[in-house]
Amino acid sequence: DADFGGLYGHERGDDPACVKSRTGFVILAANCPILWKSQLQSKTALSTMEAEISALAHCCKELFPLIDLAKSLAEHFKLKPVETTMSVTIHEDNAAALILGNTLPPGYTPRSKFFHLETIWFREEIARRGINLVKVDTKDQLGDIFTKGLTQVTFEYLRKKLLGW
């Protein structure tokens, strides 16, 4: 998930870091958090869709090596094939980022064209790896716990979901 504009309007207006969007995500294996991150994006996003696409690409840069490591370990230790397959799903709550992320061959709007390299890269990778990019209701977006100041009720709801309670 991404928090577009970050702290704009809440902190010093002359501080460029206050307009950076924040990327936040959690990667789960067997419903157990194994990696999570919350950090300011390196560039200033000009739209919510751009902030979300950057967050998706950043999450994928962390996720893909974990997938490759799991496959390499299985091959190295000559683990017998299991009847199940690795099922990976990426949840996104921004409709524009979801459409752009699922479109193959690439299609662009005039607003999305300038950040198309990130989009092409993760779009090709999720298609090649058979990863599903699906809509998640904003209230169930686990990444929000890493990007936004939440009310106590929302925070506790997401914390329980994150911990599998």
Side-chain angles (χ1 to χ4, degrees):
D1 192 44
D3 181 22
F4 174 63
L7 298 171
Y8 184 76
H10 299 286
E11 292 197 358
R12 292 183 29 215
D14 62 342
D15 183 358
C18 291
V19 298
K20 301 278 188 198
S21 299
R22 178 166 294 279
T23 291
F25 60 87
V26 60
I27 295 174
L28 307 171
N31 290 323
C32 180
I34 60 167
L35 188 145
W36 53 92
K37 188 172 245 179
S38 175
Q39 86 178 63
L40 289 178
Q41 293 181 356
S42 57
K43 62 184 179 198
T44 303
L46 301 178
S47 68
T48 303
M49 179 175 59
E50 182 182 359
E52 293 282 348
I53 291 294
S54 290
L56 276 170
H58 191 81
C59 178
C60 288
K61 288 176 191 174
E62 302 285 344
L63 174 64
F64 297 158
L66 293 173
I67 294 170
D68 296 340
L69 177 64
K71 288 180 179 178
S72 293
L73 288 172
E75 289 172 11
H76 177 75
F77 290 108
K78 297 176 179 40
L79 299 176
K80 293 181 181 178
V82 184
E83 292 298 315
T84 61
T85 59
M86 188 179 293
S87 174
V88 179
T89 303
I90 300 173
H91 295 107
E92 175 58 56
D93 63 352
N94 180 275
L98 191 65
I99 291 168
L100 194 62
N102 276 321
T103 304
L104 268 176
Y108 299 100
T109 67
R111 299 264 314 144
S112 69
K113 206 173 229 179
F114 68 94
F115 56 94
H116 70 278
L117 290 178
E118 260 181 352
T119 310
I120 289 170
W121 173 77
F122 87 76
R123 187 185 293 146
E124 287 176 347
E125 283 296 308
I126 63 175
R128 183 176 72 79
R129 294 168 182 266
I131 295 173
N132 298 316
L133 180 61
V134 299
K135 172 83 173 140
V136 64
D137 194 310
T138 299
K139 72 177 181 64
D140 294 321
Q141 176 58 279
L142 294 176
D144 281 356
I145 207 165
F146 302 103
T147 60
K148 298 170 178 68
L150 303 171
T151 64
Q152 182 177 351
V153 171
T154 304
F155 175 81
E156 288 175 353
Y157 171 75
L158 290 175
R159 183 183 64 192
K160 286 179 180 178
K161 259 182 100 61
L162 188 60
L163 297 174
W165 295 351

